[in-house]
Amino acid sequence: MLDPLISSIGDYTLKGIISRGPLSVVWRAADCRSEGQPVAIKRVNLSELNRTLLSSLDCELEFLRSVSHPNIVRLIDVIWEDEFVFLVMEFCAGGDLASYIRLKGRLQEQVARKFAGQIGAGLKVLHAHHIIHRDLKPENILLSTSNNDPVLKISDFGMSRVVLPGEYAETVCGSPLYMAPEVLQFQKYNEKVDMWSVGAILFELLNGYPPYRGRTNVQLLQNIMKSACLPFSELILPGLNRDCIDLCSRLLCKNPANRLSFDEFYHHKFLIKGSPC
């Protein structure tokens, strides 16, 4: 369904809405300059953004303009128009990882390893720029194709910000099911919050559901804090590689001081190669 008042933006013809949120809408569109090449266009309503979100938008644009990596969604163009900014992005025909998990259910361990490695490769770029994403979740990880061998691409940097070594952030943001406990507790935090989110995504890839749930954020936090071990499905736990369990458990460590750093995650044995059980 299209906005009846908008049929094109610049050199791009709108084809249909992909998603709509409180602050933005994303369309599938065609680039009229390149024989109708498909693109995705994200419109952000600038008048609805507070100072923190405007800062995150600046961070998103500066970062995406400066990088070109297969595991980061590519920014093609930026169009400013009155109170809106339009981000023209590469179109990912495979949809998002959340839809993929709903379709496939829990994934084979080797597929989860490959996907986690691709997410790690994208995060390596963020890490080099001292950027924390703050909203890593399956909905914000796109698949390049609907074929059997997609490439994962981290997207939606609307809550990202630069946090230099030794610094901390305080703004509570993100999606609760993938939000680190220190954020749920309104504590200061650093890049380790992204590591928790990666652990939650890896757990969901293996089990088909997130590690912790709750009817409210308070109940969710209570369930996290009282858990003595990760609630792996008893159907899959006996067949999981011990390195896989170790990686997931150390990413989903409640104390950020003991949680894996990015470098420890990226060089973990489970991602480097499969080791015998």
Side-chain angles (χ1 to χ4, degrees):
M1 181 178 179
L2 290 172
D3 186 327
L5 301 178
I6 304 175
S7 60
S8 65
I9 297 167
D11 295 314
Y12 307 94
T13 302
L14 304 184
K15 298 294 185 179
I17 290 178
I18 297 175
S19 65
R20 186 189 293 272
L23 301 176
S24 65
V25 58
V26 180
W27 288 282
R28 180 173 56 86
D31 187 346
C32 300
R33 302 168 302 178
S34 58
E35 300 180 346
Q37 176 185 348
V39 295
I41 298 181
K42 175 182 177 181
R43 184 185 72 183
V44 179
N45 189 342
L46 296 173
S47 64
E48 297 293 326
L49 303 185
N50 58 29
R51 182 180 299 178
T52 298
L53 291 174
L54 283 170
S55 177
S56 292
L57 175 63
D58 289 340
C59 179
E60 177 177 20
L61 291 175
E62 182 177 353
F63 172 67
L64 290 175
R65 281 170 170 153
S66 67
V67 303
S68 177
H69 190 277
N71 299 118
I72 301 288
V73 68
R74 182 166 58 94
L75 178 67
I76 298 171
D77 197 2
V78 179
I79 301 171
W80 298 89
E81 187 177 290
D82 297 328
E83 74 264 33
F84 299 111
V85 59
F86 299 88
L87 280 63
V88 183
M89 320 290 295
E90 67 173 307
F91 178 71
C92 295
D96 62 44
L97 188 56
S99 299
Y100 187 87
I101 295 171
R102 285 195 296 269
L103 177 65
K104 302 285 187 179
R106 59 176 181 260
L107 306 182
Q108 294 289 331
E109 185 181 282
Q110 59 267 31
V111 178
R113 176 190 288 116
K114 180 179 72 172
F115 282 3
Q118 292 183 6
I119 294 170
L123 280 176
K124 185 177 182 181
V125 182
L126 274 75
H127 187 71
H129 287 76
H130 303 295
I131 289 175
I132 54 176
H133 188 284
R134 300 200 293 185
D135 196 22
L136 284 172
K137 57 183 178 179
E139 288 85 353
N140 287 340
I141 297 173
L142 305 180
L143 281 68
S144 63
T145 176
S146 57
N147 296 334
N148 292 330
D149 192 25
V151 175
L152 268 55
K153 298 174 181 286
I154 300 174
S155 71
D156 201 340
F157 296 83
M159 294 186 185
S160 63
R161 63 158 291 181
V162 172
V163 176
L164 297 175
E167 294 183 350
Y168 292 87
E170 299 183 44
T171 303
V172 176
C173 59
S175 301
L177 292 180
Y178 306 93
M179 193 182 291
E182 59 267 29
V183 183
L184 288 168
Q185 294 177 96
F186 303 98
Q187 298 175 353
K188 293 182 179 180
Y189 57 87
N190 59 16
E191 74 283 352
K192 292 283 189 77
V193 297
D194 280 352
M195 294 298 96
W196 175 278
S197 300
V198 172
I201 294 169
L202 175 57
F203 182 97
E204 186 168 354
L205 291 173
L206 295 165
N207 291 269
Y209 52 82
Y212 300 105
R213 287 170 281 192
R215 289 189 297 271
T216 66
N217 287 0
V218 171
Q219 187 182 72
L220 172 63
L221 179 60
Q222 290 173 342
N223 291 338
I224 291 173
M225 301 311 290
K226 73 181 182 182
S227 176
C229 59
L230 293 183
F232 279 106
S233 167
E234 294 182 3
L235 295 175
I236 70 164
L237 188 57
L240 286 180
N241 188 297
R242 63 173 176 265
D243 288 335
C244 176
I245 299 171
D246 178 75
L247 176 59
C248 212
S249 300
R250 294 174 69 193
L251 287 169
L252 291 171
C253 178
K254 287 170 266 192
N255 184 346
N258 298 328
R259 192 178 305 150
L260 288 185
S261 67
F262 170 76
D263 287 335
E264 290 170 327
F265 157 71
Y266 192 69
H267 295 100
H268 193 277
K269 286 191 293 183
F270 177 68
L271 296 187
I272 298 301
K273 61 180 179 179
S275 59
C277 293

